[in-house]
Amino acid sequence: MKVLIYKTAEEVKAQAARRLLMSVQRTPQSVLGLATGGTMEDVYAELVKQTHRHAASWAQVTTFNLDEYWGIPIDSPASYRTYMNHHLFNHINVDLDATHIPPSEGENPDLAAAQYEARISGAGGIDLQLLGIGVNGHIGFNEPTSSLASKTRLKTLTQSTRDANRRFFDTMEQVPRYALTVGIGTIMASEECLLVATGSSKAPAVQAMIEGPLAASCPASALQMHQKVTVMLDEDAARDLELRSYYQLVHPDGQESAVSDG
Ligand code: GLP
């Protein structure tokens, strides 16, 4: 795992956007796995800026989002489809038909999940998977005790996740209880992962993910078994890391080193 620690959240977000744009520029037909949440709002704002600055084209890019709330209309202001259109897709030349987000409603969530998984495989799998992390260590909406081999499916959200996402809704009652999320096994099948975390509220989850035991109690710890993961952190999110000075020795100021230490 490559752990890059930057002084500020702004630097983290600019570097994450740079890394995503690099993928698009190097491989115009990239298949990107995308994430949502407060952290990604600034990553996408920066990505839009950098896209325009470098006149980069997203015309051939395909995207798959990690998750979507279940039980709200897809055009609801709080849906992840609305979020993605608002923060990214409406500002770049991506083909909207090539942007995939799990459905938010339907008769048969199991079938919808299987179809989403098949669509990802049909596109040749994810080249670069962008990830955030929940304060409880979730990735996507894979809550603690999720199977580390799971595929796309309906998950019940924990109270901690519903509380954390309460700010995107008018009332607590409106916060969905379920989400359709790609599985940890789906994430593990991606070629490469880029996880971004900022702020001290994420410090315990980040420590458990990087240095804790591999355990379903911290779903993000599954990434210890992935062969190509970069974690970008600000100083606050890196606060609890026991080997922090080692990561800083290998990558001073978050710089990539010549050594390809996975
Ligand atoms: C939601 C998303 C996750 C995201 C997490 C963190 O729960 N499903 O994919 O990583 O939020 O969000 P934030 O950046 O707002 O802390």
Side-chain angles (χ1 to χ4, degrees), residues 63-96:
T63 68
F64 287 92
N65 265 74
L66 283 169
D67 46 19
E68 178 59 279
Y69 292 113
W70 184 259
I72 59 172
I74 198 71
D75 58 358
S76 134
S79 78
Y80 283 165
R81 166 53 77 184
T82 302
Y83 171 108
M84 288 308 299
N85 286 353
H86 177 74
H87 291 289
L88 183 63
F89 300 150
N90 287 348
H91 311 288
I92 56 177
N93 69 334
V94 73
D95 174 5
L96 270 187

mmCIF file of all heavy atoms in Angstrom, residues 63-96:
data_model
loop_
_atom_site.group_PDB
_atom_site.id
_atom_site.type_symbol
_atom_site.label_atom_id
_atom_site.label_comp_id
_atom_site.label_asym_id
_atom_site.label_seq_id
_atom_site.Cartn_x
_atom_site.Cartn_y
_atom_site.Cartn_z
ATOM 1 N N THR A 63 -17.758 5.215 -16.792
ATOM 2 C CA THR A 63 -17.675 5.286 -15.322
ATOM 3 C C THR A 63 -18.724 4.388 -14.662
ATOM 4 O O THR A 63 -19.813 4.179 -15.207
ATOM 5 C CB THR A 63 -17.886 6.734 -14.800
ATOM 6 O OG1 THR A 63 -19.257 7.114 -15.039
ATOM 7 C CG2 THR A 63 -16.959 7.724 -15.464
ATOM 8 N N PHE A 64 -18.365 3.877 -13.509
ATOM 9 C CA PHE A 64 -19.286 3.100 -12.676
ATOM 10 C C PHE A 64 -19.191 3.655 -11.260
ATOM 11 O O PHE A 64 -18.104 3.659 -10.676
ATOM 12 C CB PHE A 64 -18.890 1.617 -12.648
ATOM 13 C CG PHE A 64 -19.192 0.901 -13.920
ATOM 14 C CD1 PHE A 64 -18.242 0.799 -14.923
ATOM 15 C CD2 PHE A 64 -20.442 0.333 -14.126
ATOM 16 C CE1 PHE A 64 -18.521 0.146 -16.116
ATOM 17 C CE2 PHE A 64 -20.744 -0.328 -15.316
ATOM 18 C CZ PHE A 64 -19.777 -0.418 -16.309
ATOM 19 N N ASN A 65 -20.303 4.114 -10.717
ATOM 20 C CA ASN A 65 -20.266 4.559 -9.327
ATOM 21 C C ASN A 65 -20.366 3.383 -8.371
ATOM 22 O O ASN A 65 -20.912 2.327 -8.706
ATOM 23 C CB ASN A 65 -21.372 5.569 -9.051
ATOM 24 C CG ASN A 65 -20.857 6.979 -9.197
ATOM 25 O OD1 ASN A 65 -20.628 7.437 -10.312
ATOM 26 N ND2 ASN A 65 -20.626 7.647 -8.071
ATOM 27 N N LEU A 66 -19.844 3.609 -7.190
ATOM 28 C CA LEU A 66 -19.814 2.546 -6.185
ATOM 29 C C LEU A 66 -21.190 2.157 -5.676
ATOM 30 O O LEU A 66 -21.448 0.992 -5.389
ATOM 31 C CB LEU A 66 -19.036 3.040 -4.958
ATOM 32 C CG LEU A 66 -17.525 3.085 -5.022
ATOM 33 C CD1 LEU A 66 -16.997 3.865 -3.820
ATOM 34 C CD2 LEU A 66 -16.964 1.666 -5.027
ATOM 35 N N ASP A 67 -22.056 3.158 -5.527
ATOM 36 C CA ASP A 67 -23.280 2.871 -4.775
ATOM 37 C C ASP A 67 -24.366 3.896 -5.049
ATOM 38 O O ASP A 67 -24.115 4.951 -5.637
ATOM 39 C CB ASP A 67 -22.977 2.814 -3.261
ATOM 40 C CG ASP A 67 -22.113 3.980 -2.793
ATOM 41 O OD1 ASP A 67 -22.037 4.996 -3.508
ATOM 42 O OD2 ASP A 67 -21.513 3.879 -1.714
ATOM 43 N N GLU A 68 -25.558 3.557 -4.628
ATOM 44 C CA GLU A 68 -26.707 4.467 -4.711
ATOM 45 C C GLU A 68 -27.665 4.110 -3.573
ATOM 46 O O GLU A 68 -27.791 2.941 -3.197
ATOM 47 C CB GLU A 68 -27.411 4.323 -6.065
ATOM 48 C CG GLU A 68 -28.650 5.181 -6.273
ATOM 49 C CD GLU A 68 -28.408 6.699 -6.158
ATOM 50 O OE1 GLU A 68 -28.362 7.187 -5.010
ATOM 51 O OE2 GLU A 68 -28.284 7.370 -7.203
ATOM 52 N N TYR A 69 -28.279 5.120 -3.003
ATOM 53 C CA TYR A 69 -29.317 4.855 -1.992
ATOM 54 C C TYR A 69 -30.425 4.057 -2.634
ATOM 55 O O TYR A 69 -30.713 4.205 -3.825
ATOM 56 C CB TYR A 69 -29.895 6.169 -1.469
ATOM 57 C CG TYR A 69 -28.923 6.972 -0.655
ATOM 58 C CD1 TYR A 69 -28.447 8.197 -1.118
ATOM 59 C CD2 TYR A 69 -28.478 6.524 0.583
ATOM 60 C CE1 TYR A 69 -27.554 8.949 -0.367
ATOM 61 C CE2 TYR A 69 -27.584 7.266 1.340
ATOM 62 C CZ TYR A 69 -27.133 8.472 0.860
ATOM 63 O OH TYR A 69 -26.254 9.204 1.590
ATOM 64 N N TRP A 70 -31.084 3.229 -1.838
ATOM 65 C CA TRP A 70 -32.201 2.433 -2.325
ATOM 66 C C TRP A 70 -33.476 2.948 -1.681
ATOM 67 O O TRP A 70 -33.536 3.107 -0.459
ATOM 68 C CB TRP A 70 -31.988 0.949 -1.981
ATOM 69 C CG TRP A 70 -33.057 0.056 -2.548
ATOM 70 C CD1 TRP A 70 -34.124 -0.476 -1.876
ATOM 71 C CD2 TRP A 70 -33.162 -0.412 -3.903
ATOM 72 N NE1 TRP A 70 -34.886 -1.232 -2.722
ATOM 73 C CE2 TRP A 70 -34.320 -1.217 -3.969
ATOM 74 C CE3 TRP A 70 -32.412 -0.225 -5.058
ATOM 75 C CZ2 TRP A 70 -34.729 -1.845 -5.155
ATOM 76 C CZ3 TRP A 70 -32.812 -0.853 -6.229
ATOM 77 C CH2 TRP A 70 -33.961 -1.651 -6.270
ATOM 78 N N GLY A 71 -34.479 3.248 -2.526
ATOM 79 C CA GLY A 71 -35.768 3.647 -1.973
ATOM 80 C C GLY A 71 -36.039 5.136 -2.100
ATOM 81 O O GLY A 71 -36.936 5.667 -1.429
ATOM 82 N N ILE A 72 -35.249 5.837 -2.923
ATOM 83 C CA ILE A 72 -35.555 7.241 -3.214
ATOM 84 C C ILE A 72 -35.585 7.392 -4.737
ATOM 85 O O ILE A 72 -34.940 6.617 -5.441
ATOM 86 C CB ILE A 72 -34.518 8.231 -2.608
ATOM 87 C CG1 ILE A 72 -33.092 7.967 -3.142
ATOM 88 C CG2 ILE A 72 -34.540 8.178 -1.088
ATOM 89 C CD1 ILE A 72 -32.084 9.040 -2.732
ATOM 90 N N PRO A 73 -36.352 8.377 -5.255
ATOM 91 C CA PRO A 73 -36.361 8.556 -6.715
ATOM 92 C C PRO A 73 -34.960 8.925 -7.200
ATOM 93 O O PRO A 73 -34.237 9.644 -6.514
ATOM 94 C CB PRO A 73 -37.330 9.724 -6.922
ATOM 95 C CG PRO A 73 -38.094 9.845 -5.647
ATOM 96 C CD PRO A 73 -37.230 9.317 -4.552
ATOM 97 N N ILE A 74 -34.604 8.433 -8.373
ATOM 98 C CA ILE A 74 -33.250 8.656 -8.894
ATOM 99 C C ILE A 74 -32.964 10.147 -9.110
ATOM 100 O O ILE A 74 -31.829 10.599 -9.004
ATOM 101 C CB ILE A 74 -33.012 7.824 -10.194
ATOM 102 C CG1 ILE A 74 -31.521 7.667 -10.509
ATOM 103 C CG2 ILE A 74 -33.775 8.386 -11.379
ATOM 104 C CD1 ILE A 74 -30.742 6.785 -9.608
ATOM 105 N N ASP A 75 -34.054 10.935 -9.386
ATOM 106 C CA ASP A 75 -33.833 12.368 -9.592
ATOM 107 C C ASP A 75 -34.020 13.177 -8.310
ATOM 108 O O ASP A 75 -34.099 14.403 -8.332
ATOM 109 C CB ASP A 75 -34.743 12.890 -10.717
ATOM 110 C CG ASP A 75 -36.211 12.640 -10.415
ATOM 111 O OD1 ASP A 75 -36.517 12.036 -9.352
ATOM 112 O OD2 ASP A 75 -37.056 13.047 -11.228
ATOM 113 N N SER A 76 -34.056 12.487 -7.163
ATOM 114 C CA SER A 76 -34.151 13.214 -5.896
ATOM 115 C C SER A 76 -32.862 14.019 -5.681
ATOM 116 O O SER A 76 -31.789 13.605 -6.122
ATOM 117 C CB SER A 76 -34.361 12.197 -4.763
ATOM 118 O OG SER A 76 -33.525 12.475 -3.676
ATOM 119 N N PRO A 77 -32.947 15.183 -5.013
ATOM 120 C CA PRO A 77 -31.750 16.014 -4.816
ATOM 121 C C PRO A 77 -30.645 15.267 -4.067
ATOM 122 O O PRO A 77 -29.475 15.596 -4.205
ATOM 123 C CB PRO A 77 -32.256 17.195 -3.978
ATOM 124 C CG PRO A 77 -33.737 17.170 -4.072
ATOM 125 C CD PRO A 77 -34.171 15.799 -4.486
ATOM 126 N N ALA A 78 -31.016 14.248 -3.271
ATOM 127 C CA ALA A 78 -30.002 13.554 -2.462
ATOM 128 C C ALA A 78 -29.470 12.284 -3.120
ATOM 129 O O ALA A 78 -28.604 11.618 -2.555
ATOM 130 C CB ALA A 78 -30.593 13.209 -1.099
ATOM 131 N N SER A 79 -29.973 11.948 -4.337
ATOM 132 C CA SER A 79 -29.482 10.709 -4.955
ATOM 133 C C SER A 79 -28.051 10.916 -5.437
ATOM 134 O O SER A 79 -27.613 12.040 -5.692
ATOM 135 C CB SER A 79 -30.371 10.301 -6.136
ATOM 136 O OG SER A 79 -30.063 11.088 -7.277
ATOM 137 N N TYR A 80 -27.337 9.825 -5.553
ATOM 138 C CA TYR A 80 -25.953 9.934 -6.023
ATOM 139 C C TYR A 80 -25.906 10.239 -7.521
ATOM 140 O O TYR A 80 -24.923 10.777 -8.007
ATOM 141 C CB TYR A 80 -25.175 8.670 -5.670
ATOM 142 C CG TYR A 80 -24.777 8.618 -4.190
ATOM 143 C CD1 TYR A 80 -24.345 7.438 -3.600
ATOM 144 C CD2 TYR A 80 -24.826 9.758 -3.400
ATOM 145 C CE1 TYR A 80 -23.973 7.394 -2.265
ATOM 146 C CE2 TYR A 80 -24.464 9.732 -2.055
ATOM 147 C CZ TYR A 80 -24.031 8.542 -1.487
ATOM 148 O OH TYR A 80 -23.655 8.517 -0.173
ATOM 149 N N ARG A 81 -26.968 9.916 -8.265
ATOM 150 C CA ARG A 81 -27.035 10.326 -9.679
ATOM 151 C C ARG A 81 -27.059 11.861 -9.754
ATOM 152 O O ARG A 81 -26.325 12.476 -10.505
ATOM 153 C CB ARG A 81 -28.255 9.696 -10.363
ATOM 154 C CG ARG A 81 -28.617 10.297 -11.702
ATOM 155 C CD ARG A 81 -27.472 10.361 -12.700
ATOM 156 N NE ARG A 81 -27.153 9.093 -13.332
ATOM 157 C CZ ARG A 81 -26.123 8.915 -14.179
ATOM 158 N NH1 ARG A 81 -25.315 9.927 -14.486
ATOM 159 N NH2 ARG A 81 -25.883 7.739 -14.711
ATOM 160 N N THR A 82 -27.918 12.469 -8.914
ATOM 161 C CA THR A 82 -27.989 13.928 -8.903
ATOM 162 C C THR A 82 -26.637 14.511 -8.501
ATOM 163 O O THR A 82 -26.135 15.460 -9.114
ATOM 164 C CB THR A 82 -29.090 14.401 -7.913
ATOM 165 O OG1 THR A 82 -30.320 13.816 -8.320
ATOM 166 C CG2 THR A 82 -29.211 15.910 -7.882
ATOM 167 N N TYR A 83 -26.030 13.932 -7.479
ATOM 168 C CA TYR A 83 -24.712 14.371 -6.989
ATOM 169 C C TYR A 83 -23.683 14.326 -8.121
ATOM 170 O O TYR A 83 -22.957 15.299 -8.361
ATOM 171 C CB TYR A 83 -24.299 13.448 -5.835
ATOM 172 C CG TYR A 83 -22.877 13.604 -5.331
ATOM 173 C CD1 TYR A 83 -22.620 14.189 -4.081
ATOM 174 C CD2 TYR A 83 -21.783 13.151 -6.069
ATOM 175 C CE1 TYR A 83 -21.314 14.315 -3.605
ATOM 176 C CE2 TYR A 83 -20.487 13.275 -5.607
ATOM 177 C CZ TYR A 83 -20.259 13.857 -4.375
ATOM 178 O OH TYR A 83 -18.959 13.974 -3.910
ATOM 179 N N MET A 84 -23.609 13.198 -8.822
ATOM 180 C CA MET A 84 -22.578 13.034 -9.856
ATOM 181 C C MET A 84 -22.793 13.993 -11.022
ATOM 182 O O MET A 84 -21.844 14.569 -11.540
ATOM 183 C CB MET A 84 -22.538 11.587 -10.359
ATOM 184 C CG MET A 84 -21.968 10.588 -9.374
ATOM 185 S SD MET A 84 -20.344 11.002 -8.680
ATOM 186 C CE MET A 84 -19.308 11.054 -10.148
ATOM 187 N N ASN A 85 -24.061 14.142 -11.428
ATOM 188 C CA ASN A 85 -24.339 15.081 -12.520
ATOM 189 C C ASN A 85 -23.922 16.491 -12.097
ATOM 190 O O ASN A 85 -23.282 17.210 -12.850
ATOM 191 C CB ASN A 85 -25.827 15.070 -12.880
ATOM 192 C CG ASN A 85 -26.222 13.808 -13.637
ATOM 193 O OD1 ASN A 85 -25.371 13.005 -14.011
ATOM 194 N ND2 ASN A 85 -27.511 13.629 -13.844
ATOM 195 N N HIS A 86 -24.297 16.850 -10.878
ATOM 196 C CA HIS A 86 -24.059 18.200 -10.381
ATOM 197 C C HIS A 86 -22.559 18.498 -10.196
ATOM 198 O O HIS A 86 -22.079 19.567 -10.561
ATOM 199 C CB HIS A 86 -24.810 18.373 -9.056
ATOM 200 C CG HIS A 86 -24.589 19.685 -8.397
ATOM 201 N ND1 HIS A 86 -25.159 20.846 -8.862
ATOM 202 C CD2 HIS A 86 -23.829 20.032 -7.330
ATOM 203 C CE1 HIS A 86 -24.773 21.849 -8.098
ATOM 204 N NE2 HIS A 86 -23.958 21.394 -7.162
ATOM 205 N N HIS A 87 -21.833 17.548 -9.595
ATOM 206 C CA HIS A 87 -20.431 17.825 -9.257
ATOM 207 C C HIS A 87 -19.438 17.513 -10.374
ATOM 208 O O HIS A 87 -18.358 18.063 -10.406
ATOM 209 C CB HIS A 87 -20.021 17.067 -7.990
ATOM 210 C CG HIS A 87 -20.682 17.591 -6.756
ATOM 211 N ND1 HIS A 87 -20.357 18.818 -6.210
ATOM 212 C CD2 HIS A 87 -21.666 17.079 -5.986
ATOM 213 C CE1 HIS A 87 -21.110 19.027 -5.138
ATOM 214 N NE2 HIS A 87 -21.919 17.997 -4.986
ATOM 215 N N LEU A 88 -19.824 16.589 -11.277
ATOM 216 C CA LEU A 88 -18.840 16.215 -12.299
ATOM 217 C C LEU A 88 -19.405 16.137 -13.716
ATOM 218 O O LEU A 88 -18.965 16.876 -14.603
ATOM 219 C CB LEU A 88 -18.194 14.865 -11.909
ATOM 220 C CG LEU A 88 -17.083 14.377 -12.845
ATOM 221 C CD1 LEU A 88 -15.896 15.344 -12.840
ATOM 222 C CD2 LEU A 88 -16.605 12.970 -12.459
ATOM 223 N N PHE A 89 -20.382 15.259 -13.928
ATOM 224 C CA PHE A 89 -20.755 14.928 -15.306
ATOM 225 C C PHE A 89 -21.249 16.118 -16.124
ATOM 226 O O PHE A 89 -20.996 16.199 -17.319
ATOM 227 C CB PHE A 89 -21.813 13.810 -15.322
ATOM 228 C CG PHE A 89 -21.359 12.522 -14.677
ATOM 229 C CD1 PHE A 89 -22.278 11.671 -14.061
ATOM 230 C CD2 PHE A 89 -20.022 12.138 -14.691
ATOM 231 C CE1 PHE A 89 -21.874 10.471 -13.481
ATOM 232 C CE2 PHE A 89 -19.603 10.942 -14.101
ATOM 233 C CZ PHE A 89 -20.538 10.113 -13.493
ATOM 234 N N ASN A 90 -21.961 17.052 -15.461
ATOM 235 C CA ASN A 90 -22.494 18.196 -16.226
ATOM 236 C C ASN A 90 -21.401 19.163 -16.687
ATOM 237 O O ASN A 90 -21.674 20.060 -17.474
ATOM 238 C CB ASN A 90 -23.492 18.999 -15.369
ATOM 239 C CG ASN A 90 -24.800 18.259 -15.184
ATOM 240 O OD1 ASN A 90 -25.049 17.266 -15.861
ATOM 241 N ND2 ASN A 90 -25.631 18.727 -14.253
ATOM 242 N N HIS A 91 -20.185 18.979 -16.173
ATOM 243 C CA HIS A 91 -19.132 19.966 -16.458
ATOM 244 C C HIS A 91 -18.022 19.438 -17.358
ATOM 245 O O HIS A 91 -17.040 20.140 -17.599
ATOM 246 C CB HIS A 91 -18.516 20.446 -15.138
ATOM 247 C CG HIS A 91 -19.548 20.838 -14.136
ATOM 248 N ND1 HIS A 91 -20.295 21.987 -14.274
ATOM 249 C CD2 HIS A 91 -20.004 20.212 -13.024
ATOM 250 C CE1 HIS A 91 -21.155 22.053 -13.262
ATOM 251 N NE2 HIS A 91 -21.001 20.988 -12.497
ATOM 252 N N ILE A 92 -18.139 18.179 -17.796
ATOM 253 C CA ILE A 92 -17.109 17.593 -18.662
ATOM 254 C C ILE A 92 -17.820 16.945 -19.851
ATOM 255 O O ILE A 92 -19.045 16.799 -19.832
ATOM 256 C CB ILE A 92 -16.265 16.529 -17.891
ATOM 257 C CG1 ILE A 92 -17.158 15.439 -17.290
ATOM 258 C CG2 ILE A 92 -15.421 17.207 -16.805
ATOM 259 C CD1 ILE A 92 -16.411 14.329 -16.577
ATOM 260 N N ASN A 93 -17.049 16.549 -20.867
ATOM 261 C CA ASN A 93 -17.712 16.041 -22.075
ATOM 262 C C ASN A 93 -17.907 14.520 -22.052
ATOM 263 O O ASN A 93 -17.844 13.873 -23.091
ATOM 264 C CB ASN A 93 -16.942 16.470 -23.332
ATOM 265 C CG ASN A 93 -15.598 15.765 -23.444
ATOM 266 O OD1 ASN A 93 -15.030 15.363 -22.430
ATOM 267 N ND2 ASN A 93 -15.084 15.606 -24.652
ATOM 268 N N VAL A 94 -18.142 13.961 -20.858
ATOM 269 C CA VAL A 94 -18.399 12.522 -20.774
ATOM 270 C C VAL A 94 -19.754 12.208 -21.425
ATOM 271 O O VAL A 94 -20.668 13.045 -21.400
ATOM 272 C CB VAL A 94 -18.372 12.062 -19.287
ATOM 273 C CG1 VAL A 94 -19.603 12.522 -18.526
ATOM 274 C CG2 VAL A 94 -18.175 10.551 -19.153
ATOM 275 N N ASP A 95 -19.858 11.015 -22.033
ATOM 276 C CA ASP A 95 -21.131 10.576 -22.597
ATOM 277 C C ASP A 95 -21.990 10.067 -21.426
ATOM 278 O O ASP A 95 -21.642 9.072 -20.792
ATOM 279 C CB ASP A 95 -20.826 9.449 -23.606
ATOM 280 C CG ASP A 95 -22.080 8.804 -24.151
ATOM 281 O OD1 ASP A 95 -23.190 9.280 -23.828
ATOM 282 O OD2 ASP A 95 -21.931 7.815 -24.903
ATOM 283 N N LEU A 96 -23.101 10.736 -21.149
ATOM 284 C CA LEU A 96 -23.909 10.358 -19.970
ATOM 285 C C LEU A 96 -24.361 8.904 -20.012
ATOM 286 O O LEU A 96 -24.534 8.267 -18.976
ATOM 287 C CB LEU A 96 -25.127 11.276 -19.847
ATOM 288 C CG LEU A 96 -24.936 12.556 -19.021
ATOM 289 C CD1 LEU A 96 -26.274 13.259 -18.856
ATOM 290 C CD2 LEU A 96 -24.309 12.290 -17.655
#
